[in-house]
Amino acid sequence: MNALLLLAPLSLFLETGLPIGLFVPGGDTLLLALGALAAEGGLEAFPLLPLLFLGSLLGHLLGYALGRYGGKTLRRRFPEDLWRKGERLALRFGPLVLLLAPFIGGVRTLTPFLFGAWGFPFARYLPLVALGSLLWTQGLFLLGYLLGQRLPLWAILLGLLLLGGLGLLLSRRPSRTG
């Protein structure tokens, strides 16, 4: 279990800080599963909770820096529909999207690059992304913990697997453009 203290935050760092998160999303599932595992007594919540927060926050900071210094080049590497989705979300909600983005797979990876490429002021970015990372990591971990106190771990993992499969199935459907 000590390996989880390194691997879980590293996974969040890679998902939020590098474009790999577009292809291997799983932060939500990981956080819920870790919380359920902690509820079963198989894992200590501390020091994992602050490490998960740091992994997410540092990933967002790396993504921002990469967007800031390589925005135009990076834009060509992202799927255009995902880039447009991130832009629409940012234009609709403004800086508050930094609080919402961690909860939306794919968008949580794109948002730091997007705000960095736009030259969004770092002094405004940092507190918002820190709060978004805190709400996402701690909130989903604690939700998993509460579920783990009421349901067996295998039921939670099966539910997450089914939800993940449904998400993949729905994401593979051809889009209807009229």
Side-chain angles (χ1 to χ4, degrees):
M1 290 297 164
N2 285 339
L4 281 177
L5 292 178
L6 175 64
L7 295 177
L10 179 62
S11 173
L12 296 183
F13 172 78
L14 293 174
E15 182 182 359
T16 59
L18 298 172
I20 191 173
L22 295 172
F23 308 106
V24 190
D28 297 336
T29 305
L30 175 67
L31 291 167
L32 289 166
L34 290 171
L37 187 60
E40 293 260 322
L43 184 64
E44 291 294 323
F46 187 82
L48 188 57
L49 281 169
L51 292 174
L52 293 169
F53 165 70
L54 283 175
S56 174
L57 178 62
L58 293 174
H60 278 94
L61 295 178
L62 174 64
Y64 177 88
L66 292 173
R68 183 79 171 201
Y69 299 106
K72 291 192 186 335
T73 304
L74 284 172
R75 182 176 181 144
R76 290 190 295 265
R77 299 198 186 277
F78 282 102
E80 189 60 33
D81 62 326
L82 185 61
W83 191 270
R84 281 194 304 272
K85 182 179 179 182
E87 285 180 332
R88 279 195 309 270
L89 196 63
L91 290 173
R92 182 172 179 191
F93 294 104
L96 291 180
V97 77
L98 295 170
L99 299 176
L100 302 172
F103 295 93
I104 305 168
V107 175
R108 89 174 120 252
T109 301
L110 176 65
T111 301
F113 294 101
L114 191 62
F115 275 76
W118 285 344
F120 190 78
F122 185 75
R124 289 186 60 206
Y125 177 81
L126 181 59
L128 289 170
V129 79
L131 183 57
S133 289
L134 184 71
L135 293 172
W136 178 55
T137 58
Q138 313 307 283
L140 288 184
F141 182 94
L142 294 174
L143 177 60
Y145 189 89
L146 290 174
L147 289 172
Q149 289 180 324
R150 288 161 179 71
L151 299 170
L153 183 59
W154 67 266
I156 294 169
L157 295 177
L158 178 63
L160 291 172
L161 185 65
L162 291 174
L163 285 174
L166 180 63
L168 282 174
L169 186 65
L170 292 175
S171 71
R172 302 280 185 232
R173 286 187 338 190
S175 63
R176 289 185 243 166
T177 54

